[in-house]
Amino acid sequence: MNGEPRIGDVFGELLRDAWAVETGIGPRPLVGGRLPRPVIEIIERDDGLINGAPAAHYLAGPEHWQPYDHRAVDRVRGATLDIGVGGGRIALRLQEFGVPVTGLDVSAGALAVCRRRGVRDLVHATVDEHAGHGRRYDTFLLLGNNLGLIEGRDRAPVFLAALAAMARPGARIIAHGTDPYGTTDPVHTGYHERNRRSGRLGGQLRLRLRYRELGTDWFDYLVCTPDELAGLVRGAGWRLTDVDDADAPYYLATLRLED
Amino acid sequence: MNGEPRIGDVFGELLRDAWAVETGIGPRPLVGGRLPRPVIEIIERDDGLINGAPAAHYLAGPEHWQPYDHRAVDRVRGATLDIGVGGGRIALRLQEFGVPVTGLDVSAGALAVCRRRGVRDLVHATVDEHAGHGRRYDTFLLLGNNLGLIEGRDRAPVFLAALAAMARPGARIIAHGTDPYGTTDPVHTGYHERNRRSGRLGGQLRLRLRYRELGTDWFDYLVCTPDELAGLVRGAGWRLTDVDDADAPYYLATLRLED
């Protein structure tokens, strides 16, 4: 045995358990069959850094949100694609406000939780797959730090082109990002420096998620500054029109489809 | 980069951060330099199973304890060695009760936290090293599931002999264990079965702990039934005289030094 996880729907299993804890519906995880086991998402970085984060925030109601999530929702207009819908917290809020919202996720388990929580329009696909489905949107949401899904220099133009292919005229992307460079912790500054030396963006994290016996494959997830983002969107069909950094180092970036 | 942690004082770093969160003394861990980051211990098993557990329980006061911890403390008498003193919760309680208690740990960081919390008598050593120090005890505590420190068939007699070498006549070991076999989860039953096929006890876990960029080496940690325990102590200078399984699958085993 080598300590390696089995590849599977980490995020779906995690959300299913978190939802069971929150609602009491379905078996909830226990230690020794007796004591409640907290549902914790484990995030590994390829330099050996590892963090655990309680999963409850994926299901949290608006009263528990950070301010930038509320401001993101306030910016939504028209038919909206919530990319990486997760536990559905944003989509449920938009439904309440009467916004026509579609939740997109690659996790079948996440979509099952969304469905049970009342999210009505759900699609099980990648962004690239969904771009072939013929649907069109006015707003694309990348919340919960999901600006990271643009990955880096290679993937960003492809990802943004897929969104452009689904965009109505005047469409916008509203993305939550984090400036990674405010830290002096050598664990992070050293990682950024090694990334740059190998031609990657400093905050181009290589991660995998784990939960119980399951893991994802390693994937790139980009944490970048608004300036780095502006560079990545140039020539990719979108223009960075606004950066709301009232909660720095977190920010909301608004990108508008070029005419 | 291969995702492997750097070997270090996982437990000490974890406890230092948990203590900073609890007391507000010292820098507390943050996400993005801004939002509090919960302190979570990560436990990996060599089959790829991974769990995160909030660290606060290591510092918890008696009002948050499980019932068996109270009953364990009630059984203590005389000079007491708290093996794997951790955050010092048990040692602090014994000090309140006027019990002469020594806290033993291999983690320098754990001992630093114990010292700041007021544990007076602390030793930085393994059980084997401490057996050479000439100190004698009436009670040995293996709480917080630390019966696991007996590891398995090879290590148990050596470990128990070290305790016997430090034991006064009539000395007792009070150990907290867990019966691992109540589960039907194939992740666990399969692990137990593979262990048995390779000559190990079913619940002889191979684990490592991780926190942030640090990890421990892989080590054996035994989760066994009272019957398995009775077999392991036979001929090792101790006799299993009582099993309190009022909180099954958890139990308190009392071992008495043979005359």
Side-chain angles (χ1 to χ4, degrees), chain A residues 3 31 34 44 46 248 250, chain B residues 3 31 34 44 46 210 248 250:
Chain A
V31 184
R34 185 181 173 104
E44 266 189 296
D46 67 343
Y250 308 109
Chain B
V31 184
R34 185 181 173 104
E44 266 189 294
D46 67 342
R210 295 176 66 179
Y250 308 109

Side-chain angles (χ1 to χ4, degrees), chain A residues 1-4 31-32 34-35 37-38 40 44 46-52 54 185 187 210 212-213 248-250, chain B residues 1-4 31-32 34 37-38 40 44 46-52 54 66 185 187 210 212-213 248-250:
Chain A
M1 288 184 271
N2 58 5
E4 284 296 300
V31 184
R34 185 181 173 104
L35 301 177
R37 181 190 290 285
I40 290 174
E44 266 189 296
D46 67 343
D47 62 339
L49 182 70
I50 196 163
N51 278 304
D185 183 341
V187 170
R210 296 174 67 178
R212 308 273 298 152
E213 75 276 24
Y250 308 109
Chain B
M1 291 185 267
N2 59 6
E4 283 296 300
V31 184
R34 185 181 173 104
R37 181 189 290 285
I40 290 174
E44 266 189 294
D46 67 342
D47 61 339
L49 183 70
I50 197 163
N51 277 303
Q66 295 298 319
D185 183 341
V187 170
R210 295 176 66 179
R212 308 275 296 152
E213 74 276 24
Y250 308 109

